[in-house]
Amino acid sequence: MSSCTAAAQTAFEGVLAELADRREEFQAQRYVPRDFVERLKQLGIYRAATPARFGGEPLPPAEFLDRVERISYVDGSTGWVASFGSALVYLAALPLDTQAELYADGPDVVFAGGLFPVQPVKTTERGFLVDGRWKFASGCMGADVLGVGIPGDDSTAGKPRTALLRPDQVEIVPDWDVVGMKGTGSFDLKVDRVEVTREWTFIRGGEPTVDEPLYQYPTIAYAAQVLAVVGAGVARSALDHARRVGAGHTGVTGAPKLAQRSYYRTGVAEAEAALRSARAYFYEVTEETWDTVLAGELATDEQNAHLRLASTHLARTAAAVVEDVVGLSGTGAVASGHPLQSLRGDALVPKQHAFLGPGLIDAAGAVFMGLEPTVPGFK
């Protein structure tokens, strides 16, 4: 948080302390409530990708990622919800008049989307008649605007559109029963024949209408990064737990403390090296690409490939680190209420996300070999 004042840093720490007290509440109800989303707004999380011309305070990607990682250290679900503060980069593809209306009440706008499965629509004179049900709308319970996926056409080169709606136009169906990220509120969205005008639709990753640096940073890669870094925060929490517990835990058999066992020390050290290495690569390519953008140049295909690869690698490494710590931690870790089990579930979710799947590694490798990427929407 290099750009933060001392007062802002203190405020951030205060929100993290509140989160530590409330994370079990969020998991039990399966979503981060609107009052805590307001607390995240006060930290600037939901103006960090709002254009400056509309009162936003766009953050360099590395700074935003660092904040999401720190929130995720305390609670992965809340970090996941906070990560979508970056999703306003998508909305920079809307017409400027639409954006002016969107931000008319201020720059702190929470956007959540259930984009898949893309649902068919009927074309109207003004736009589209939207009807259907969509999955995985993380953070929808605290959202100011919601998006759903609809088909593209010749004007979008076949890429799907996202249609924007007000919360009162959408029914939220609380279908979210999972082993990790239990508090993200990744519920279904249901829409019953609502007309959305063309000006309130956009192509995800489409050409921005705002001429500011953040909107020249690779959009889809950034969307992958904000999810991967949640896993990094969760993995750091698991490692710190391992260090605390190892120093004081004696097994039920009376065996030496975990920290006195060579396999435990070696395993924790190897996991520490793996996580730090993955993070270093991740933030290195983030800064390198941002420097290119600030120089007024477009990010190269290879830089985009490194961003995608580094994100996938970080998500996989974070999940492996948590799994390794569980394996080192003895019989106590098998209890369903053990803190490592919650972290284990949370670390699994980023790795399983479509933006961070194993196919992305092959796609990056193809780019490095001078070939076209093997995954649609890679750039």
Side-chain angles (χ1 to χ4, degrees), residues 23 69-76 230-245 272 275 318 321-322 325 339-340 342-344 346:
R23 58 191 171 195
E69 185 176 6
R70 292 184 62 197
I71 295 168
S72 303
Y73 176 85
V74 180
D75 179 50
V230 174
V234 172
R236 169 50 56 197
S237 187
L239 276 171
D240 285 358
H241 173 88
R243 294 176 69 173
R244 289 193 306 272
V245 171
E272 184 77 41
L275 182 61
V321 162
V322 179
V325 170
L340 284 176
S342 176
L343 296 174
R344 183 188 207 177
D346 284 353

Side-chain angles (χ1 to χ4, degrees), residues 224-260:
Q225 286 189 285
V226 299
L227 303 180
V229 84
V230 174
V234 172
R236 169 50 56 197
S237 187
L239 276 171
D240 285 358
H241 173 88
R243 294 176 69 173
R244 289 193 306 272
V245 171
H249 178 72
T250 301
V252 295
T253 63
K257 293 179 181 181
L258 289 171
Q260 294 171 334

Side-chain angles (χ1 to χ4, degrees), residues 52-72:
R53 66 180 293 161
F54 297 116
E57 298 174 3
L59 285 178
E63 289 194 33
F64 183 78
L65 293 165
D66 174 73
R67 295 183 192 193
V68 171
E69 185 176 6
R70 292 184 62 197
I71 295 168
S72 303

Side-chain angles (χ1 to χ4, degrees), residues 344-363:
R344 183 188 207 177
D346 284 353
L348 174 66
V349 175
K351 183 175 78 76
Q352 299 297 110
H353 195 279
F355 277 4
L356 299 164
L360 278 301
I361 298 175
D362 176 50

Side-chain angles (χ1 to χ4, degrees), residues 148-198:
V148 296
I150 63 175
D153 51 32
D154 290 344
S155 68
T156 70
K159 295 179 180 179
R161 296 178 186 267
T162 299
L164 297 182
L165 302 107
R166 301 186 308 271
D168 62 8
Q169 295 175 304
V170 179
E171 177 187 353
I172 295 175
V173 183
D175 184 10
W176 185 240
D177 184 12
V178 289
V179 298
M181 301 292 181
K182 295 180 180 180
T184 60
S186 301
F187 299 148
D188 292 5
L189 302 181
K190 189 175 180 181
V191 180
D192 184 15
R193 295 176 60 81
V194 175
E195 185 180 33
V196 178
T197 61
R198 284 179 178 80

Side-chain angles (χ1 to χ4, degrees), residues 23 25-34 37 46 75-82 84 110-114 134-143 146 170-178 180-189 346 349:
R23 58 191 171 195
E25 167 199 337
F26 300 169
Q27 288 200 17
Q29 67 188 15
R30 296 185 294 163
Y31 65 90
V32 178
R34 188 171 289 274
V37 172
Y46 293 106
D75 179 50
S77 292
T78 305
W80 192 266
V81 170
F84 291 101
V110 182
F111 169 57
W134 293 260
K135 305 291 291 183
F136 306 135
S138 299
C140 61
M141 295 296 287
L146 295 163
V170 179
E171 177 187 353
I172 295 175
V173 183
D175 184 10
W176 185 240
D177 184 12
V178 289
M181 301 292 181
K182 295 180 180 180
T184 60
S186 301
F187 299 148
D188 292 5
L189 302 181
D346 284 353
V349 175

